[in-house]
Amino acid sequence: MNSSTSQNSLFIQPHSAAIRVWHWLTFLLILALIVTVWMNATLLNARQSTPAIVSTLQEKGVTATPAQAWSVAHYYGEKMWDVHKILGFMLAFLLLARVIIEFRQPAEEKIGPRLKSALFGYLETNHAGKKKDLRHFLIVKYSYTLFYGLLFVMATTGILVAAGGELGLEGATRHAIKEVHGFVSYLIYLFVFFHLAGVIRSELGRDKGIVSGMIHGKGK
């Protein structure tokens, strides 16, 4: 691949410092959220840990009932969920910050104008190669807007679950909100996986420089 191919890539664009900081903080927070979910589903899962706790204590000469062992495992699981909630509130704050950043962005770096420019270019060009590139660009960028929508749903439902008692949300209503929260969360984790795979593929292909562009902010 030559440098001109990379320089002509639609994905090599300038990014403000605010966007770059937001991007990496959001990535790290989502990664941390994934870790908390994984920890509670495996190492800190009360149901799975209870037999191991009972067995370990018996080896040490301490007798504990399954109910007592479950209480210990559940305690640490709840502590991890507390960490998950804190991270969730931080992510909600970042989502609000993203909206503010968008309003303060230079016009040429805002999502709307970039999508509008690419869409008009796609509709006007008759060049097959360029049309294909623009279609790919539009699909990727529109998927980012979907990602923001999923983030909003995840943050909103997460806050409702965390503050459900104070808001009077109990029983079936709170359970339904929790189910939506869990489902959307996994969609976001799936999006992050495909995003990473796409970035790696692009970096190794015709869009070399896409990662460094999100670090130092320079476009083509």
Side-chain angles (χ1 to χ4, degrees):
M1 182 196 71
N2 54 46
S3 60
S4 62
T5 302
S6 177
Q7 290 173 356
N8 291 329
S9 170
L10 293 169
F11 293 96
I12 308 299
Q13 299 176 323
H15 300 287
S16 66
I19 284 294
R20 283 176 278 137
V21 171
W22 183 90
H23 175 274
W24 293 111
L25 285 179
T26 301
F27 170 72
L28 291 174
L29 269 179
I30 292 178
L31 186 62
L33 284 166
I34 292 174
V35 171
T36 61
V37 171
W38 175 79
M39 289 285 289
N40 263 0
T42 55
L43 299 179
L44 297 179
N45 184 290
R47 183 177 299 178
Q48 295 178 9
S49 300
T50 296
I53 293 174
V54 171
S55 176
T56 301
L57 289 175
Q58 286 178 343
E59 292 175 0
K60 301 296 182 180
V62 179
T63 301
T65 65
Q68 291 171 327
W70 184 91
S71 297
V72 173
H74 181 70
Y75 171 81
Y76 287 105
E78 286 298 306
K79 288 297 181 182
M80 182 58 69
W81 281 128
D82 288 341
V83 173
H84 182 86
K85 292 174 186 176
I86 293 172
L87 294 173
F89 281 117
M90 292 172 65
L91 187 62
F93 173 78
L94 278 179
L95 183 59
L96 176 61
R98 181 64 182 86
V99 175
I100 296 173
I101 291 171
E102 183 65 15
F103 281 109
R104 298 177 64 87
Q105 285 277 89
E108 65 274 10
E109 293 186 25
K110 290 184 177 181
I111 297 174
R114 281 181 171 176
L115 285 175
K116 185 177 179 181
S117 176
L119 181 59
F120 283 163
Y122 174 77
L123 294 174
E124 293 173 357
T125 186
N126 292 317
H127 189 279
K130 188 175 182 180
K131 205 173 187 70
K132 180 181 178 182
D133 289 342
L134 284 167
R135 181 169 58 247
H136 178 219
F137 178 83
L138 285 169
I139 291 173
V140 171
K141 292 302 180 182
Y142 274 116
S143 74
Y144 290 169
T145 63
L146 174 61
F147 171 72
Y148 292 137
L150 291 175
L151 270 185
F152 175 78
V153 174
M154 185 178 76
T156 302
T157 54
I159 291 172
L160 290 175
V161 171
E166 291 77 5
L167 297 175
L169 300 174
E170 299 294 344
T173 300
R174 189 175 185 182
H175 177 74
I177 295 173
K178 188 175 182 180
E179 288 293 311
V180 172
H181 177 73
F183 177 73
V184 173
S185 297
Y186 282 112
L187 288 180
I188 289 177
Y189 304 154
L190 190 64
F191 176 92
V192 171
F193 172 79
F194 281 109
H195 176 66
L196 286 174
V199 167
I200 293 172
R201 180 175 180 271
S202 296
E203 185 68 30
L204 296 176
R206 62 179 300 179
D207 299 318
K208 185 174 179 60
I210 192 171
V211 174
S212 59
M214 190 52 78
I215 295 174
H216 57 59
K218 295 181 182 179
K220 53 189 175 180

